[in-house]
C-alpha cells in the first residue's frame, strides 16, 4: 500500500520557506503563496489538494512538484482547474521543480507542463 503524505506549505521550522518568505498561509505581506506537492498525488489525496489550493486562492501561487513520484488524473484535473481559477482572478499560478515522474505523467495524459502556468494579464 502506498504511503500518503500531507500536502505541505513548503515552510521550514521557523515558519518561512527556503527563500525566507513567510508561508503561514495568511499572506498578509503580499508575497506569493507556496505549495509543496507530496510524493503521491492520487484520488486518496485529491480532496486535500483541492482544499490546500482553495486556502491559497486570491494571491499568486508557486506549486513545487519535486517530490512527486505518482500523479493521478484526478489531481491533474484539480491542478488544471486551479490554474484556470488563478487566471480568472488575474493571479500568477506556476508549477516549478517538477519531478521526472510528474512530467512523464503529464505527457502520458497529453497535458503540456506549461498549461499549468498562468500569469496576470492572461498570457500563459
Amino acid at each position: 500500500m502506498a504511503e500518503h503524505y500531507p500536502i505541505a506549505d513548503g515552510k521550514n521550522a521557523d515558519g518561512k520557506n527556503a527563500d525566507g518568505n513567510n508561508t503561514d498561509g495568511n499572506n498578509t505581506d503580499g508575497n506569493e503563496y507556496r505549495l509543496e506537492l507530496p510524493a503521491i498525488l492520487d484520488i486518496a489525496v485529491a480532496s486535500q489538494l483541492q482544499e490546500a489550493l482553495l486556502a491559497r486562492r486570491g494571491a499568486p501561487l508557486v506549486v513545487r512538484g519535486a517530490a512527486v513520484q505518482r500523479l493521478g488524473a484526478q489531481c491533474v484535473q484539480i491542478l488544471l482547474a486551479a490554474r484556470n481559477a488563478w487566471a480568472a482572478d488575474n493571479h500568477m499560478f506556476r508549477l516549478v521543480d517538477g519531478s521526472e515522474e510528474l512530467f512523464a505523467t503529464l505527457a502520458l495524459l497529453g497535458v503540456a507542463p506549461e498549461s499549468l502556468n498562468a500569469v496576470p494579464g492572461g498570457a500563459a
Side-chain angles (χ1 to χ4, degrees):
M1 178 171 256
E3 284 189 64
H4 292 92
Y5 299 96
I7 308 291
D9 60 9
K11 63 184 165 186
N12 298 322
D14 64 358
K16 299 187 178 204
N17 62 23
D19 299 330
N21 296 324
N22 188 348
T23 59
D24 63 4
N26 294 325
N27 194 30
T28 57
D29 58 6
N31 288 332
E32 62 197 23
Y33 285 127
R34 294 186 175 266
L35 181 67
E36 186 82 23
L37 297 177
I40 308 298
L41 278 169
D42 59 12
I43 196 165
V45 298
S47 63
Q48 290 176 341
L49 176 60
Q50 180 185 18
E51 289 171 12
L53 289 164
L54 287 174
R56 289 157 177 83
R57 191 162 179 188
L61 178 63
V62 174
V63 179
R64 187 167 182 270
V68 175
Q69 296 174 5
R70 189 168 67 220
L71 177 62
Q74 301 86 356
C75 289
V76 172
Q77 289 176 321
I78 290 168
L79 290 169
L80 287 167
R83 180 260 185 238
N84 290 341
W86 263 253
D89 293 347
N90 202 30
H91 287 296
M92 182 267 304
F93 183 95
R94 191 168 40 136
L95 175 67
V96 299
D97 299 332
S99 67
E100 287 183 31
E101 293 85 353
L102 183 145
F103 290 128
T105 301
L106 290 176
L108 182 66
L109 295 172
V111 176
E114 58 273 10
S115 69
L116 287 171
N117 294 323
V119 295

